Amino acid sequence: MGRDVIEPLDALQIDKAHFLGLSFGGAVGQWLGIHAPERIDRLVLSNTSSYLGPAEGWDHMIANVRQAADLTEIADMFIGNWFPSSILETEKELVSSFREMVLSTNPQGLAGTFAAIRDLDMRRTVALINSPTLVIAGQYDTVTLPSHNELIAATVPDAKLVMLPAVHLSNIERQDDFLKAVLEFLLSK
């Protein structure tokens, strides 16, 4: 999936870019920082992990997606993991838009993403990232635990860690704080 980022950069003749990846996008960002460092200027890894094992749990999720008549159960799980109860109760339209996104996802593509997550283990290789790196974590994230983000920040040389009082979608839940942290990082020397 990291190559899927490089191909449009090549097509647009962009030699080097900043990259911000949240959740699985953060795993893609880690891969880019390790395998295509010459293409990454500054790297922002948000609410992500270098390892989300064990594999058996993902095998179960893959089987569930492949056998499901629809993605309602998966959408409910995601929504419960992505948002705090305060947003679930007050931001019905926002939550509904995310639910619809999940429900319209191709099940085969989702199963493939789960397989990529299952096989992901960059806990040691993130030490090879040499781009300036900001790691943003959600203090209450139950998907990519704060400790996962702390480990990335401790392993990537000179990485900066920002912990926000958020669940998994810190860019949605703490939008102003998220944007401030990202812009300060991207504009710093």
Side-chain angles (χ1 to χ4, degrees):
M1 292 184 181
R3 288 183 187 94
D4 291 339
V5 173
I6 293 170
E7 287 177 13
L9 291 176
D10 288 344
L12 296 169
Q13 299 179 347
I14 298 170
D15 293 329
K16 198 170 204 175
H18 300 313
F19 185 89
L20 188 156
L22 185 139
S23 194
F24 185 67
V28 173
Q30 291 170 71
W31 187 93
L32 289 166
I34 295 164
H35 298 284
E38 71 284 357
R39 303 306 296 270
I40 302 301
D41 188 357
R42 290 181 179 260
L43 183 60
V44 180
L45 306 172
S46 178
N47 300 81
T48 193
S49 183
S50 295
Y51 174 74
L52 282 171
E56 296 78 25
W58 292 103
D59 288 336
H60 179 72
M61 295 273 293
I62 292 165
N64 283 349
V65 167
R66 287 186 172 159
Q67 296 168 3
D70 63 43
L71 296 179
T72 302
E73 187 176 315
I74 299 291
D76 291 343
M77 178 196 66
F78 281 166
I79 296 302
N81 287 334
W82 288 348
F83 297 106
S85 58
S86 60
I87 288 181
L88 292 174
E89 294 165 7
T90 62
E91 302 286 338
K92 304 262 187 222
E93 190 174 318
L94 172 72
V95 172
S96 178
S97 70
F98 278 88
R99 180 183 302 283
E100 289 305 314
M101 176 190 65
V102 175
L103 292 173
S104 65
T105 300
N106 178 304
Q108 189 65 24
L110 188 56
T113 301
F114 287 165
I117 295 169
R118 176 197 62 203
D119 299 340
L120 167 76
D121 189 352
M122 294 184 283
R123 290 175 288 184
R124 292 177 52 200
T125 55
V126 293
L128 300 173
I129 294 173
N130 61 14
S131 299
T133 302
L134 171 65
V135 180
I136 301 175
Q139 182 178 356
Y140 308 111
D141 195 339
T142 60
V143 179
T144 56
L145 301 174
S147 60
H148 294 203
N149 293 272
E150 290 167 341
L151 179 61
I152 294 168
T155 307
V156 174
D158 301 317
K160 177 183 177 189
L161 175 68
V162 171
M163 186 75 64
L164 296 178
V167 183
H168 188 61
L169 298 180
S170 57
N171 63 319
I172 302 295
E173 188 179 348
R174 303 295 298 199
Q175 187 174 23
D176 291 342
D177 296 331
F178 185 92
L179 187 58
K180 180 179 184 235
V182 170
L183 290 177
E184 283 179 0
F185 173 70
L186 293 179
L187 296 172
S188 66
K189 293 189 179 205

